[in-house]
Amino acid sequence: MAQETEVKFMVESGNPGDVIDWAESAGLLSGRPVQLHLDNYYYDTPDFILRQAGIALRVRCSDDSWEATIKTRAGGNEGKNGGVHIHPEYTVPLPGQPEYPDLGIFPGEIFRDLPSGEIQERLTRIMSQRCVRTIFNVFGTTPLHEDFIIEISFDEVVYQGKNGDIPGRELELELKEGGSGALLYVAAILLEAEKAREMPLKLRTGSVSKMERAAIYAGLAEAGTPSGGDLSSDRGICQTLAGLERRCFLESDSIRAAQAFRDLGSFFREISESPVSSSLRDNLKILARDYYDKKLPDLPLAERKKALKLMLTAPDLVLARLRLELEKSL
C-alpha cells in the first residue's frame, strides 16, 4: 500500500509544454518528459456498493501493460479539500485485460465489513475514459532545506459521458520524496509564475477525482446536493466552496445548476459580511466585491460558468486554499 498525496488542478488554458518550459526555466526539471496513452476502466456493482464505502476500483492499460488499482477513502471529507487529495492506494500488475478484476488480489482488510463475495459476483464495468498523460519529475530543495522529488502529470482526458464524450485537462503534482511542505512550495512557485504571466497557463483547484467526474458525466452520480456549509472556519469555507464549484461546473440539469449559482451568491454575501480576516477570506471578499456581485448574476447560465472558472483561477485564492489543506497534513 502507498499513501498518495497530491495536488490536483483543473487546467483552464495552457498545454503540457507550458509546464515543462516553466520547470526547466525554474531549474527544477529532472530527466525528459514521457507521454503515455492510458485507458481507464472503473468497476462497481450496479448499486455502487464500493463507491458508497469510499472505494474506487480501476483497471488501467498503458502501452499494453495492465494493472488494477484500488483507492480508498482517507477520512475527513474523503481525504480531499480544495485541490489536495490524500488517500491510500493499492496497485497490482495484471497479465492482461481481465473480464472483471479479481478482488482476491488485494488485501482483505480493504473489504472489511463488506460482502466481498457478493461484490465479486456482481462486478460490472460502469464507466471508462481515455487519457494522454505527459509526465515528468521536478526536484530541488525548499527554503527550509528539505529535498524533494515531485511527479507532475498533465492529463488530456476524454470522459465517456451519457450524451457523448467530454474532454477535460488536469494537472497533478504528486509527492514522491519529501514532506507536504515541499508540495506546497512547488505549487506556490508554479502559481507565482502564472500570476506573473510567465507562462500561458490558467489553473484552478480540483476537488473532484477522475472517477467521480467520470461517474457524474456518465449519469451514474449526482454533481452534489445543497448544503449549508460550515463557514465558521477557513477549512469549512474551503470545503463549502469546493462543493459549490462541483455543483456549478458539473451539474447537467439547468434548474439545479441555476440554484447552485444562487447558493454560490449567498456564500459570497455571507463571506463579505463577515468581520473575520484571513488570507482565504480576504481573497474571497475581493472576488465578491469586484467580480461576482457586479458581473456574474446578470449573465446567462452558460456564460456564468465560464466567468466563474476565470474568477477562480486567481493565484492568490488558489494558493490560500492549498496552503490551508497542505498545512493540515504536515
Side-chain angles (χ1 to χ4, degrees), residues 117-176:
E118 176 190 346
I119 294 172
Q120 181 69 68
E121 291 180 0
R122 300 178 61 215
L123 272 185
T124 185
R125 184 192 296 180
I126 57 172
M127 55 194 153
S128 63
Q129 57 189 224
R130 304 186 306 275
C131 176
V132 177
R133 168 169 288 181
T134 302
I135 189 169
F136 60 95
N137 285 345
V138 296
F139 76 108
T141 304
T142 71
L144 297 178
H145 308 291
E146 179 181 24
D147 295 335
F148 64 84
I149 298 177
I150 291 172
E151 182 182 271
I152 297 184
S153 302
F154 193 111
D155 291 345
E156 298 166 280
V157 188
V158 177
Y159 293 94
Q160 180 189 52
K162 62 180 179 179
N163 297 317
D165 290 345
I166 301 173
R169 289 176 296 171
E170 303 171 16
L171 184 70
E172 298 180 2
L173 280 61
E174 182 179 348
L175 187 66
K176 293 298 184 181

Side-chain angles (χ1 to χ4, degrees), residues 237-284:
I237 289 172
C238 189
Q239 293 174 1
T240 301
L241 180 57
L244 287 167
E245 288 179 73
R246 174 190 177 116
R247 291 172 56 208
C248 290
F249 293 145
L250 301 181
E251 181 59 75
S252 59
D253 181 89
S254 60
I255 294 177
R256 290 199 296 265
Q259 181 59 53
F261 272 95
R262 286 194 290 271
D263 291 343
L264 185 66
S266 298
F267 166 84
F268 275 119
R269 283 193 294 275
E270 188 166 348
I271 293 297
S272 297
E273 293 168 0
S274 170
V276 180
S277 178
S278 71
S279 176
L280 180 69
R281 291 170 186 263
D282 293 346
N283 275 289
L284 287 171

Side-chain angles (χ1 to χ4, degrees), residues 61-234:
C61 177
S62 173
D63 296 329
D64 295 325
S65 294
W66 292 85
E67 65 180 25
T69 296
I70 277 182
K71 297 186 180 185
T72 62
R73 183 176 298 162
N77 197 40
E78 300 187 5
K80 55 185 180 292
N81 299 297
V84 179
H85 296 231
I86 304 172
H87 48 74
E89 179 178 279
Y90 307 78
T91 297
V92 180
L94 300 174
Q97 182 178 15
E99 182 177 5
Y100 300 104
D102 178 8
L103 299 184
I105 65 178
F106 296 102
E109 64 190 44
I110 298 174
F111 308 103
R112 187 182 297 117
D113 301 326
L114 291 176
S116 56
E118 176 190 346
I119 294 172
Q120 181 69 68
E121 291 180 0
R122 300 178 61 215
L123 272 185
T124 185
R125 184 192 296 180
I126 57 172
M127 55 194 153
S128 63
Q129 57 189 224
R130 304 186 306 275
C131 176
V132 177
R133 168 169 288 181
T134 302
I135 189 169
F136 60 95
N137 285 345
V138 296
F139 76 108
T141 304
T142 71
L144 297 178
H145 308 291
E146 179 181 24
D147 295 335
F148 64 84
I149 298 177
I150 291 172
E151 182 182 271
I152 297 184
S153 302
F154 193 111
D155 291 345
E156 298 166 280
V157 188
V158 177
Y159 293 94
Q160 180 189 52
K162 62 180 179 179
N163 297 317
D165 290 345
I166 301 173
R169 289 176 296 171
E170 303 171 16
L171 184 70
E172 298 180 2
L173 280 61
E174 182 179 348
L175 187 66
K176 293 298 184 181
E177 294 184 18
S180 299
L183 197 57
L184 175 60
Y185 169 69
V186 173
I189 59 176
L190 173 64
L191 290 169
E192 285 301 319
E194 175 192 349
K195 182 179 180 180
R197 298 183 179 179
E198 296 173 2
M199 57 181 174
L201 195 70
K202 277 289 183 183
L203 304 171
R204 62 178 174 85
T205 51
S207 62
V208 183
S209 69
K210 284 186 178 64
M211 180 179 178
E212 291 176 289
R213 192 174 295 274
I216 292 167
Y217 289 152
L220 303 173
E222 294 292 329
T225 55
S227 173
D230 172 23
L231 303 187
S232 62
S233 68
D234 277 5

